[in-house]
Amino acid sequence: MSEAVPDDHPRPPELDAVFHCSEVRTDGDRVLYYGISDVGERELVRRIWPAFREAGYEVQVVNTDTGLDVVVARPHADGVDGVPWVNVGLFLATVVSTLLVGATAWYYIPFSEIAANPLTALRAWPFTAAVLGVLMTHELGHYVMGRYHGVDVSLPYVIPFILPFGTMGAIIRMRGQMPDREALFDIGVAGPLAGLAATVVVTVVGLLLGPFTVPASVLGGGGQVIVFNNPPLLDLIAAALNQPTGYSDPTRTAHPVIMGAWVGMFFTVLNLLPVGQLDGGHIVRAMVGERQETVAAMVPAALFGIAAYLYFVRDLAINESVGLWAFWGLFSAFIAYRGPANPIDDEPLDGRRVAVGVATFALGLLCFMLVPIQVTTV
């Protein structure tokens, strides 16, 4: 016998049509329906999701050790509830970390000087603005498009870190069901396109700011230095503006703001890998359906192949991009098992969106570098 459900909880007829409910429980604001489904998990969600969504709930299906299916319904979140303290705290921490890294690594301010007067680190604010501007624009692209499609997405979480950029990037959480391929595509593609637009602006600003003067104390040190090679897109923008990206004079170097553009381009390449929950995984899943799994399976092999080529053929060291691509080969293999979000309505995309997807990956290729990081002796 089904337990009576309070009036303020949903019990649409679409559920009873395919689900034999034996018990209903509440857990906070969630409603749990225990029973046996006549159809598979994805088909069950596809049939009941519209009715639950109309009632203001998200649904998912889980299995229990008892063999029962459980339909879990929770209120659909619409907007930010209260002050997002975690997001704010991480953002402020990342402002501090990028200022410190920017001041010491890219503005050549001695740490002893910063320790004596922490406000000295504020001289690196253009670097911080460039890096965070690119990352936040990328994630806010996802956020805005998620809200447009009524998908429950979080505000961006920015991750503070140490060298070389003071951050490991930013993420958002997609907590709601993906209604269809169009929503999955739009949310997935909005981040890279918004981020690339911001990256182009940052690149132009950095190039127009001109060269940055390297202190004599740094030049006298000698030894090895890390070189961040230019993505093709950076060289194209520099050529269009007739601005150099490097200088024969060792006392001059590219402005630190350029590194914000480099971060945007490199993170775009990584995000467009067509695996798992990365943007590329969502975009390809929306474009080709479940065949995305075949594409994703080839990505780790390709990245390991790049690492092997650089190590055995180009004779580069582990810290000269070999380890970087090997790490992403392992990481992509790990996240490929989870797969991208599966839309409830799996109808194919229209041709216009497919064309936008192809163009997005083409722009991503303009940001790709076989050897992003190299070590040289000065």
Side-chain angles (χ1 to χ4, degrees):
M1 291 292 292
S2 299
E3 182 180 304
V5 182
D7 292 339
D8 59 343
H9 294 321
R11 183 66 177 271
E14 289 84 352
L15 177 65
D16 292 323
V18 291
F19 188 79
H20 304 283
C21 187
S22 59
E23 184 181 4
V24 180
R25 300 177 187 173
T26 58
D27 178 18
D29 60 356
R30 300 189 308 163
V31 186
L32 289 76
Y33 305 83
Y34 293 80
I36 301 294
S37 175
D38 292 334
V39 295
E41 178 181 325
R42 288 187 61 183
E43 179 64 14
L44 176 59
V45 172
R46 188 187 70 82
R47 292 197 187 190
I48 67 176
W49 184 84
F52 272 96
R53 185 58 181 272
E54 186 176 351
Y57 283 79
E58 292 279 358
V59 290
Q60 66 180 113
V61 178
V62 298
N63 301 113
T64 66
D65 295 335
T66 62
L68 292 176
D69 299 311
V70 184
V71 174
V72 181
R74 62 177 178 82
H76 172 68
D78 186 15
V80 179
D81 185 15
V83 179
W85 292 114
V86 174
N87 305 75
V88 172
L90 286 173
F91 178 80
L92 293 177
T94 308
V95 169
V96 173
S97 64
T98 52
L99 281 173
L100 290 175
V101 169
T104 55
W106 303 105
Y107 282 77
Y108 308 105
I109 302 173
F111 186 76
S112 58
E113 186 176 338
I114 297 174
N117 180 14
L119 293 180
T120 306
L122 292 176
R123 286 160 53 186
W125 74 263
F127 171 82
T128 292
V131 171
L132 291 184
V134 166
L135 295 179
M136 291 297 288
T137 301
H138 178 116
E139 297 304 330
L140 287 173
H142 292 312
Y143 178 82
V144 170
M145 195 55 65
R147 290 300 179 190
Y148 173 79
H149 281 284
V151 176
D152 183 8
V153 295
S154 72
L155 286 169
Y157 296 88
V158 195
I159 306 171
F161 197 60
I162 48 176
L163 294 172
F165 310 119
T167 178
M168 287 185 66
I171 59 172
I172 65 169
R173 293 173 55 205
M174 288 195 294
R175 297 167 294 206
Q177 294 279 353
M178 199 62 60
D180 49 39
R181 283 202 202 180
E182 290 186 359
L184 179 61
F185 178 84
D186 292 351
I187 295 171
V189 83
L193 292 181
L196 278 174
T199 296
V200 170
V201 173
V202 168
T203 303
V204 170
V205 171
L207 290 170
L208 295 181
L209 284 173
F212 188 79
T213 302
V214 181
S217 58
V218 175
L219 294 173
Q224 293 184 325
V225 296
I226 299 175
V227 176
F228 295 85
N229 291 318
N230 287 357
L233 181 59
L234 177 57
D235 287 332
L236 287 173
I237 297 173
L241 296 176
N242 196 27
Q243 294 289 329
T245 60
Y247 303 88
S248 58
D249 184 353
T251 64
R252 300 200 300 174
T253 187
H255 197 279
V257 167
I258 293 293
M259 285 312 303
W262 194 96
V263 169
M265 295 180 194
F266 185 59
F267 280 14
T268 294
V269 171
L270 298 180
N271 272 300
L272 284 177
L273 292 176
V275 294
Q277 299 290 312
L278 296 178
D279 298 340
H282 293 314
I283 296 170
V284 174
R285 173 63 179 84
M287 291 173 65
V288 304
E290 294 185 353
R291 287 176 294 172
Q292 183 270 343
E293 295 179 4
T294 302
V295 177
M298 296 186 292
V299 173
L303 295 177
F304 285 131
I306 292 175
Y309 167 75
L310 296 180
Y311 186 75
F312 292 107
V313 179
R314 296 280 296 271
D315 199 29
L316 295 178
I318 296 295
N319 62 350
E320 293 183 292
S321 300
V322 174
L324 173 69
W325 293 125
F327 168 80
W328 275 92
L330 285 172
F331 185 67
S332 64
F334 175 75
I335 64 174
Y337 285 105
R338 184 179 178 185
N342 286 311
I344 295 168
D345 182 354
D346 217 356
E347 289 296 314
L349 288 181
D350 57 85
R352 180 174 58 87
R353 282 184 169 85
V354 172
V356 171
V358 172
T360 301
F361 283 111
L363 288 172
L365 284 176
L366 288 177
C367 300
F368 176 76
M369 299 159 282
L370 190 64
V371 186
I373 301 172
Q374 215 163 351
V375 177
T376 187
T377 303
V378 295

